[in-house]
Amino acid sequence: MSPVNPPERTFRAVAPVIALCWLVVFFDGMDVNIYGAVMPHLIDDKDFGFTASTAGTVGSWTTFGMLVGALGCGTLTDWLGRKPMVTGSVVVFSLGSALCALAPSVFVFGAGRFVSGLGLGGLMPIGLAIVAEFAPPRRAALATGLMMTSYHAGGMAATGLGLALGPDHGWRVVFWAGVIPALVAVPLVLKWLPESPGVLFAKGRTREAETVAARYLLPAPTRAEAPEAGARGRFAAVASLFGPGQRLATPLMWLASFAGLLLVYGVSTWLPELMRASGYSLSSSVTFLMVINAGGIVGMLVAGRTADRFGAVKVSAVWFLLTACGAFLLKAHLPLGVAYAVVFVTGIWLFSAQVMVYAAAPSVYTPAQRATGLGWVTGVGRTGAVVGPWLGGAVVAGGNASLGFTTFAVAAVLGAVAISLVPLVRRNDSDPGTVGAVPRVLRHSEGKILPKH
C-alpha cells in the first residue's frame, strides 16, 4: 500500500517532466509566432499572391484552429491520456508547418495554418494539466510560470529565425524549421514523459499508476480522481464543470481567460502599429514588441513565486489591474526611454495575468476534471484570441491609438473583476452535503487552506 502521507515532492523530483513540458511549449510559441515573423516576406512574394487583407484572414484561420484544438483536446486527453495527446499535438502542428512550406496557393497555406492551430491549441491545456499534476504542492503557480516562459522564448526564437533565414532564403525555409519539433520533441516525449497516474488508473492499469505515482512522489490515484472513459465519460466530464461550487465559477474562469487572451493576442498583434500611431518611429515601434515579450518572461517568474505565496487568483486580479494602468500610461506620448520601461513592466503584468488564470484552475477543479477544465478555460478563452486582433485592427483603422489603449485597459479591468469573483461564488455556490463535489474548504493553488464561511 502507498503511504498515507508520502514524502513531499520537490522540483528536483519532477524536473524531467517540467523540462519536457517547457520544451514542447517552447516549440508551441515558436510555431505560433513564425507566421508574424515571415509576414513581410509573404507579402513581398508577388508570385504567391499574399496580401495584407489575406494575412488577416489566414491569421483568423489559425486562431480558429487553436480554438477547436483547445476545446476538444482537454476532453480527449482524459480519455486517451496526456502522453499520446502531447505527441499528437506536436506532430499535428509540425505537419501544418510542412504544409505551409509546400503550399502551392494561399488557400493551401491557410489550410496549413488551420492544421497547425489544431495542434497548437490542444498542446497548451495538456501541458498546463501535466504541470499542475506533477508540480510540488506549494509551488504549482511557480511551475506554471516557469513552463510559460518557454512560450515567449519560442516567440523570440521565431523572430530570430525570420530575421536570419527570411531575407536570404525566403519564407518557405522558415516554415521548414517549424518541422523541427516533430524530430526533436516527439522522441523525447515518447521516451521520458510519464502518463498521468489518474488516467492509468481509469484504464485499469493500476500497477503502472502506482509505479508512476511512487516515482514522482504523487498520491496514489483513487477512483474519485480518475476520469471516466468512453463517450459517456467525456460528456460527463464537461457537465461536471457546472456542478456545485463550479456552476458560476466556470463561466467566470472562461470570462477571465477571454479577457486575458484578448489582451495577449491583441497587444502582440497591434502594439507596433499603436505605438507608431502614437508618434514613435517604425524601428522603435517594432522593438516595443521585443521589449514586451522580454517583460513577459520576467513576469512569469515573478508571478509564479508571488502566487505561490498569496494565491493565483489574487495575483491574476492585481496583475490585470496593473496591466490596465500600463495601457492608460501608454496613451500619452512618453519619452522613448520611459516608454520602453512602461512597455517592459506592462509585459511583466499582461502575459502572466492570463497564465495565473490557468494556475488558479486547480483550486476550482478536481484532479479528474483538471484536463477538461483547463481545456475549456483555454478553449473558450481562444475566442478572445480571435477578437483581440480583430478589435485592434478596427481601432487602428480608425486612426485613434489612444482609443486602442483604452480598449485594452477596459479588457484588463474585465479580467480582474471576473477572476476576483471566482472564490466568492465558489463559497456561495457550494453544497456541503454533496459527496465528491466541492470540499468544505477552499484550497488555493499555493497549498493554503481557508475555512469555508
Side-chain angles (χ1 to χ4, degrees):
M1 285 182 65
S2 299
V4 176
N5 295 309
E8 184 173 307
R9 59 189 178 276
T10 63
F11 268 115
R12 176 174 294 185
V14 298
V17 179
I18 295 178
L20 282 172
C21 290
W22 194 98
L23 179 66
V24 295
V25 174
F26 170 86
F27 285 129
D28 183 303
M30 188 181 82
D31 199 287
V32 167
N33 288 277
I34 273 181
Y35 181 55
V38 302
M39 183 77 69
H41 307 294
L42 276 166
I43 294 175
D44 289 345
D45 187 351
K46 302 303 181 184
D47 295 333
F48 194 59
F50 212 82
T51 65
S53 175
T54 305
T57 301
V58 170
S60 296
W61 291 1
T62 309
T63 52
F64 181 69
M66 294 170 75
L67 168 63
V68 174
L71 288 176
C73 204
T75 302
L76 289 174
T77 299
D78 282 335
W79 179 40
L80 299 175
R82 315 296 203 246
K83 188 170 181 174
M85 293 305 296
V86 168
T87 304
S89 295
V90 174
V91 169
V92 167
F93 73 68
S94 295
L95 287 176
S97 191
L99 185 58
C100 289
L102 294 168
S105 66
V106 172
F107 178 80
V108 176
F109 181 89
R113 288 308 291 166
F114 175 79
V115 171
S116 290
L118 291 174
L120 295 168
L123 184 60
M124 188 67 73
I126 306 172
L128 290 165
I130 293 172
V131 169
E133 182 174 12
F134 283 82
R138 289 188 291 274
R139 293 292 182 265
L142 176 59
T144 300
L146 281 170
M147 188 194 78
M148 290 302 297
T149 62
S150 62
Y151 181 87
H152 297 284
M156 297 177 79
T159 303
L161 285 171
L163 291 171
L165 301 177
D168 296 329
H169 304 286
W171 58 268
R172 293 183 187 272
V173 173
V174 182
F175 277 102
W176 278 120
V179 181
I180 293 174
L183 303 177
V184 174
V186 168
L188 294 174
V189 168
L190 289 174
K191 183 172 179 61
W192 297 109
L193 186 68
E195 184 53 87
S196 163
V199 172
L200 292 171
F201 188 85
K203 292 177 176 293
R205 296 158 64 181
T206 306
R207 186 176 297 277
E208 291 180 62
E210 292 176 347
T211 300
V212 173
R215 179 178 180 182
Y216 295 98
L217 303 178
L218 298 168
T222 64
R223 178 62 58 189
E225 296 178 348
E228 185 179 351
R232 179 179 177 182
R234 297 195 296 279
F235 285 119
V238 177
S240 73
L241 303 182
F242 295 91
Q246 298 163 332
R247 60 173 60 94
L248 295 177
T250 289
L252 286 171
M253 291 286 289
W254 291 357
L255 182 59
S257 183
F258 168 86
L261 285 172
L262 185 153
L263 284 165
V264 168
Y265 282 84
V267 171
S268 296
T269 302
W270 292 110
L271 180 64
E273 283 298 317
L274 287 173
M275 298 305 287
R276 187 162 67 157
S278 296
Y280 299 95
S281 68
L282 176 60
S283 59
S284 296
S285 298
V286 173
T287 305
F288 281 121
L289 196 56
M290 293 291 289
V291 171
I292 201 169
N293 272 289
I297 292 176
V298 174
M300 296 301 170
L301 302 176
V302 173
R305 293 186 65 87
T306 307
D308 280 330
R309 181 175 180 181
F310 297 104
V313 168
K314 292 179 182 178
V315 171
S316 181
V318 172
W319 260 230
F320 270 126
L321 290 176
L322 291 173
T323 299
C325 293
F328 274 120
L329 283 174
L330 291 173
K331 290 175 62 177
H333 184 81
L334 304 169
L336 184 60
V338 176
Y340 279 136
V342 172
V343 168
F344 178 81
V345 295
T346 301
I348 292 177
W349 304 323
L350 187 154
F351 297 106
S352 49
Q354 166 65 25
V355 172
M356 289 302 104
V357 174
Y358 300 151
S363 69
V364 177
Y365 302 115
T366 66
Q369 297 172 316
R370 191 168 288 149
T372 298
L374 278 167
W376 280 80
V377 167
T378 56
V380 174
R382 291 292 178 188
T383 59
V386 176
V387 171
W390 168 83
L391 187 60
V395 172
V396 169
N400 190 339
S402 177
L403 179 60
F405 289 118
T406 300
T407 301
F408 291 134
V410 170
V413 172
L414 176 64
V417 171
I419 194 66
S420 296
L421 289 174
V422 169
L424 177 63
V425 300
R426 273 175 56 76
R427 285 194 290 267
N428 293 339
D429 190 38
S430 296
D431 178 4
T434 302
V435 177
V438 179
R440 296 178 66 94
V441 294
L442 179 62
R443 299 180 183 270
H444 290 279
S445 60
E446 77 278 13
K448 297 180 181 179
I449 301 177
L450 301 180
K452 178 176 168 59
H453 299 294

